[in-house]
Amino acid sequence: MIQAMDLISLAFDHAPIGLVLTENRIIRVCNVAFAEMFGYRPDDLAGESFRVLYADHAEFERIRTIGFESLAATGKYSDERLMPRRDGNLFWCRVHVHIFFPDDPLRQVILSFEDISEIRPVTSLTQRERQVIAGLVKGKTSKEIGHELDLSPRTIEEHRAHLLAKFGVRNVAGLLAKLGGIII
């Protein structure tokens, strides 16, 4: 007869969704689905910084701060985001985060990752487009976004117009609805 701990381990290792436990953003253990989603084996990731899963250090730091307030307040956070696989190809994933220590949100974290690229195809965005969208999501005007990025409001308007065309929408409300809930 299989022992309870063996069943728990079996369920974790072979869950149909990616699961990972981190301590201070270091991967302690992950399951097969998580590792394979990113193009690794579970043993490849154990002990690695979560940074290995991001395109660059700036993106790694930016994502850390996005849900921090929610985590501290509720102990939970979720979003949809573009992530790079080991080979550099991007894919959409749905991320759910649960913390155990509200006074130290990154101390121990369990995350689930679901590859949703079949229902949300990848649309390539430049870093500048991501910055403009981030400003729009916060309700900022073109003038405010331009000031933050050290660009003219006209340049921001050009980026915004390009984004509207790229996503086939007529206004910022349509763009934000199309992007609803995602982290880019």
Side-chain angles (χ1 to χ4, degrees), residues 20-29 68 71 75-76 97-111:
V20 59
L21 176 67
T22 67
E23 291 178 336
N24 297 311
R25 301 185 87 189
I26 302 297
I27 299 168
R28 293 299 173 210
V29 64
F68 208 75
L71 282 174
K76 298 177 183 176
V97 182
H98 177 79
I99 63 171
F100 300 99
F101 302 98
D103 58 324
D104 188 5
L106 299 178
R107 182 170 157 196
Q108 257 185 349
V109 180
I110 189 157
L111 304 99

Side-chain angles (χ1 to χ4, degrees), residues 138-151:
K138 293 175 186 172
K140 293 183 178 184
T141 65
S142 293
K143 185 176 180 180
E144 291 168 329
I145 297 168
H147 180 31
E148 188 175 276
L149 300 177
D150 199 27
L151 297 170

Side-chain angles (χ1 to χ4, degrees), residues 3-59:
Q3 298 296 315
M5 286 308 292
D6 292 335
L7 287 174
I8 292 168
S9 181
L10 187 65
F12 177 85
D13 290 341
H14 299 286
I17 192 164
L19 298 172
V20 59
L21 176 67
T22 67
E23 291 178 336
N24 297 311
R25 301 185 87 189
I26 302 297
I27 299 168
R28 293 299 173 210
V29 64
C30 67
N31 70 356
V32 173
F34 177 83
E36 287 181 350
M37 188 180 311
F38 287 93
Y40 294 90
R41 294 180 331 225
D43 292 344
D44 294 338
L45 294 172
E48 291 288 332
S49 166
F50 222 79
R51 160 66 183 91
V52 73
L53 301 176
Y54 288 90
D56 57 45
H57 188 73
E59 188 74 4

